[in-house]
């Protein structure tokens, strides 16, 4: 009986693994089939010669080049906001559970409140986060900043809030999973909590922490609902700064796919989706390269 259950469980596991491989592969093949033939300079630069665009002699018309640039800046800005706060918060949640009882009584309430808020934040849908950003701008218009408007900084801020729980929990989990002997190594060598985290715990937990960061970067790159309500506009041109409206690939794909007037425009949406997939793949590869480099350096 036990052998039969093990065989059924093994078979079910194989089926689940095959489904996980099949579904993303099918989606990628579908995108390549419909959009690969439009991947060319015209898709990126439209009617403007690419040399004029690169040397800033002319703007882009009817191309997604501005959206590609906006997506990169969106990823950078949101990551700069979310990653430091997420890692520090994760360290606090992890290390505060190992303090002495006297200190723990002082910080236990803060730790519980922070943990509850992280769980609440992780359950908020992206559309709600976008509405929060929109209401924030409307509130600022009626109070302190009458000229406030949706912009890239607002989108980056809302996306940072959206991915913050991933980074916090991955950091906390990676640190808590370390064996107790590594947690005691720093104090045994005379290090304080900050030195122990910097030179011992973070290098050892880097794989788990960077995995959370990589997932967060992917979420930033692909989210549409947040940027649609907080600053992304179709055909707005290259953004003049973080306080201006901008173009981004997720919103451009949505706009092209829902407002196309001919087959070529729909194919351009598939092509833009392929480029977005390539950008996320590139960010994952760069993050993995940074992870390997840091691991070699720390070892």
């Amino acid at each position: 009986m036990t052998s039969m259950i093990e065989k059924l469980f093994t078979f079910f596991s194989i089926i689940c693994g095959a489904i996980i491989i099949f579904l993303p592969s099918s989606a990628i093949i579908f995108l390549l089939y419909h959009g690969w033939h439009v991947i060319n300079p015209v898709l990126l630069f439209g009617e403007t010669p690419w040399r004029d665009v690169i040397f800033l002699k002319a703007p882009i018309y009817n191309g997604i080049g501005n959206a590609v640039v906006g997506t990169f800046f969106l990823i950078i800005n949101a990551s700069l906001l979310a990653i430091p706060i997420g890692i520090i918060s994760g360290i606090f949640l992890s290390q505060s559970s190992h303090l002495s009882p006297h200190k723990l009584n002082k910080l236990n309430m803060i730790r519980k409140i922070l943990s509850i808020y992280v769980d609440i934040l992780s359950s908020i849908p992206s559309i709600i986060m976008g509405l929060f950003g929109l209401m924030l701008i409307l509130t600022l218009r009626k109070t302190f900043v009458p000229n406030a408007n949706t912009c890239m900084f607002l989108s980056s801020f809302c996306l940072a809030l959206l991915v913050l729980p991933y980074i916090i929990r991955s950091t906390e989990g990676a640190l808590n999973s370390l064996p107790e002997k590594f947690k005691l190594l720093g104090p045994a060598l005379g290090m304080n909590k900050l030195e122990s985290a910097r030179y011992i715990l973070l290098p050892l937990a880097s794989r788990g922490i960077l995995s959370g960061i990589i997932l967060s970067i992917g979420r930033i790159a692909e989210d549409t609902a947040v940027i649609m309500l907080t600053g992304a506009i179709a055909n707005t041109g290259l953004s003049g700064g973080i306080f201006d409206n901008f173009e981004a690939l997720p919103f451009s794909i949505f706009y092209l796919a829902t407002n196309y007037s001919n087959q070529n425009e729909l194919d351009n949406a598939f092509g833009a989706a392929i480029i977005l997939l390539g950008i996320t793949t590139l960010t994952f590869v760069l993050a993995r390269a940074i992870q390997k480099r840091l691991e070699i350096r720390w070892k």
Side-chain angles (χ1 to χ4, degrees):
M1 184 66 181
T2 304
S3 177
M4 179 62 67
I5 293 175
E6 290 180 354
K7 290 181 179 179
L8 289 175
F9 181 76
T10 301
F11 176 76
F12 180 73
S13 300
I14 294 173
I15 294 298
C16 291
I19 291 173
I20 292 173
I21 294 174
F22 174 76
L23 291 179
S25 300
S26 300
I28 293 172
I29 293 172
F30 179 81
L31 286 177
L32 292 175
Y33 176 77
H34 287 278
W36 183 256
H37 65 280
V38 299
I39 303 296
N40 52 51
V42 175
L43 177 65
L44 291 173
F45 306 114
E47 300 173 358
T48 308
W50 65 269
R51 293 182 181 85
D52 293 342
V53 174
I54 292 176
F55 291 104
L56 304 178
K57 294 181 178 180
I60 296 176
Y61 297 104
N62 300 323
I64 63 170
N66 294 326
V68 174
V69 175
T71 302
F72 273 114
F73 278 107
L74 191 67
I75 292 172
I76 293 171
N77 292 330
S79 298
L80 290 177
L81 290 173
I83 292 174
I85 297 174
I87 292 177
I88 293 172
S89 300
I91 293 173
F92 171 76
L93 289 175
S94 175
Q95 295 302 298
S96 61
S97 61
H98 301 286
L99 295 173
S100 63
H102 176 68
K103 294 182 178 179
L104 186 58
N105 290 333
K106 295 181 178 180
L107 295 175
N108 194 36
M109 183 60 67
I110 299 175
R111 182 175 180 273
K112 286 183 177 180
I113 293 174
L114 178 59
S115 183
I116 291 172
Y117 271 85
V118 170
D119 291 336
I120 293 174
L121 196 60
S122 65
S123 65
I124 295 178
S126 59
I127 188 65
I128 302 300
M129 191 62 70
L131 287 173
F132 163 74
L134 182 61
M135 292 304 300
L136 180 62
I137 286 296
L138 295 178
T139 303
L140 289 175
R141 280 184 179 180
K142 294 181 179 181
T143 53
F144 306 107
V145 189
N147 296 324
N149 198 4
T150 55
C151 59
M152 181 179 290
F153 179 79
L154 178 64
S155 296
S156 301
F157 175 73
C158 292
L159 286 172
L161 289 178
L162 193 67
V163 303
L164 203 54
Y166 297 100
I167 303 175
I168 293 175
R169 289 306 185 193
S170 64
T171 302
E172 181 188 9
L175 292 172
N176 287 338
S177 65
L178 295 176
E180 193 66 25
K181 61 181 180 181
F182 293 126
K183 299 175 183 178
L184 299 175
L185 181 59
L189 295 174
M191 296 181 179
N192 57 36
K193 289 289 183 180
L194 181 60
E195 292 173 338
S196 178
R198 166 66 180 83
Y199 295 105
I200 297 176
L201 299 182
L202 286 178
L204 292 173
S206 62
R207 183 176 293 274
I209 295 172
L210 289 173
S211 296
I213 292 174
I214 291 171
L215 291 175
S216 300
I217 291 174
R219 181 69 187 275
I220 292 170
E222 58 83 23
D223 195 277
T224 306
V226 171
I227 63 174
M228 182 172 60
L229 295 172
T230 57
I233 297 178
N235 301 321
T236 188
L238 194 63
S239 177
I242 61 172
F243 296 107
D244 287 338
N245 293 123
F246 63 99
E247 293 186 47
L249 276 175
F251 183 73
S252 296
I253 294 168
F254 168 79
Y255 180 81
L256 289 171
T258 55
N259 295 277
Y260 69 93
S261 58
N262 53 59
Q263 185 62 39
N264 183 62
E265 291 183 357
L266 181 60
D267 291 343
N268 287 341
F270 286 115
I274 294 173
I275 292 178
L276 178 59
L277 185 63
I279 290 176
T280 55
T281 303
L282 178 62
T283 56
F284 292 162
V285 171
L286 290 176
R288 287 296 184 186
I290 294 172
Q291 176 184 350
K292 294 293 184 182
R293 186 176 182 85
L294 289 176
E295 287 179 353
I296 293 173
R297 177 182 176 185
W298 281 326
K299 287 180 181 179

